Structures are given as structure tokens and as C-alpha cells.
Amino acid sequence: MAGHSQFKNIMHRKGAQDAKRARAFAKLIREITVSARQGLPDPAFNPRLRSAVQAARVANMTKDTIDRAIKKASGGAAGEDYVEVRYEGYGPAGVAIIVEALTDNRNRTASDIRSAFSKFGGAMGESNSVAFQFERNGVVRYPASVADADTMLEAAIEAGASDVESTEDGHEVRTGIEDLFTVRDALEEKFGPAESAKLEWRPNVSVELDEEKARSVLKLIDVLDEHDDVQNVTANFEVSDAVAQALAD
């Protein structure tokens, strides 16, 4: 299994009990803030905001908290002028890593990310230094319970999706960048709200890691992911099922 999906599964299994709810909510609220300011403050007319609100709901954020975040963003509160930034670099064992962040202080965030790479055996590079090893796609996710694999595949292809991967963990519908929200809307008419719908980086070149190297890479990714400004971390590693199980224990 590729590093992106596998990392998420590993971290969920080994860390669900110590996940930091406040940090997760802060990141969701930051995404709501940026989404609301880049378009209309109404999710019905702002596709990105609608996705951010749905992600918050899936995380069990209350409606009042979501509404307050949108109202605050649309009111133009000072001190929260976030910008989207992307950092790229190599971790241990030559693993390529892309870090996406929302920050109100580029210098602080860049310094922190560079320090994390260096401390854990990696090196932050220039823009586009590793992006060529990834593809940018839209991804819509549904729980496995909403439909069987054939039904989801048929609906997704009809909606304009490029590919579907269905497992016992759920359905992952992939789209072109420009088709993400069109496909999401079509699927929601059939299956209800998606768990998530967003753009993601997908590795097209992967590095196979043993348990020792995987642990080193995961230490770096974990530190990056815990940074308040960081929204997403993607890496291009793969591990065997045996290594994945060992990491999850």
C-alpha cells in the first residue's frame, strides 16, 4: 500500500487514543476561515467551504462552532490573515515529503519546518524539488456502508471520476483537479454527504522501507503533522503488510 493511505491507517491505529482533539479542531477552523474568506461565506455557494464544513462535521465539531468560525472569517477579524504555503523536502531514506500549511507568519513556519526536517534526518528543499514525484488529484471519500463496489464505481464514472478504489475501509473516488466538486455533488445526490472531498498529492514514485527506516520517517512526519500551521503531510514511501502491522502495534 502506498505511503499516503498507509501512513493515515498506521497513525489512526496506533494513535487514535491520544489524538489531540483541540489541535485537530484548530486546523479545521483554520481551513474554514481561509475558505470563507476566499469566497462567499455560504457553503451552498462556496465549494471549498462546503468541504471544510463537512470535514468539521465528520470530526464531530458542533454547528455553533462552525457557524462562529464562518461568521468570524466573514467579518474580517484582524490577526488571522492566513496564506497557503507548500514546503518540500526529503526525509530519511530519501523519502520525498510535501507539507501543506496555512500560516499567518511565513518566516516562523518555514523556520519550524526546516528545523524539523533537519532534526529528524531530512532536508527541506526548494519549491518543486520533490513535487515532480507526485500527482495532484481530487479525492472524494465515502464509508463502505453507503454502497457496494460496483454501485460506487458505476456512479463515480457516470459523474466524471477517473478511478475508484473500494476496500473494507471505504470508497476512494479520484477525480481530475477541475472535476472534484462536480463529482462530489453528483455523488452526494445518490449517497448523501461525503466524508471528505479535497485535493491531495499522490506519489507516482515510491520508496520501499523496512521497519527501522519507516519508524524514522514516521517520526519526522508525526512532528510535521503536529505543527499548528500544517494542514497535510504527504510522503512517497511504501511498507509491507508485516511492517505496517509492526508499526501499528
Side-chain angles (χ1 to χ4, degrees), residues 20 129 151:
K20 297 177 177 61
S129 59
T151 300

Side-chain angles (χ1 to χ4, degrees), residues 5 26-27 36 53 75 142 150 163 179 196 200 207 212 229 239 244:
S5 298
K27 293 187 178 189
V53 168
Y142 275 96
D150 289 341
D163 193 16
D179 300 324
S196 66
E200 295 182 358
V207 179
E212 181 179 356
D229 297 339
V239 298

Side-chain angles (χ1 to χ4, degrees), residues 11 24 27 60 66 68 70 94 144 149 173 213 246:
M11 297 307 292
K27 293 187 178 189
N60 294 318
I66 294 170
R68 281 197 303 270
I70 295 174
V173 180
K213 291 179 179 177

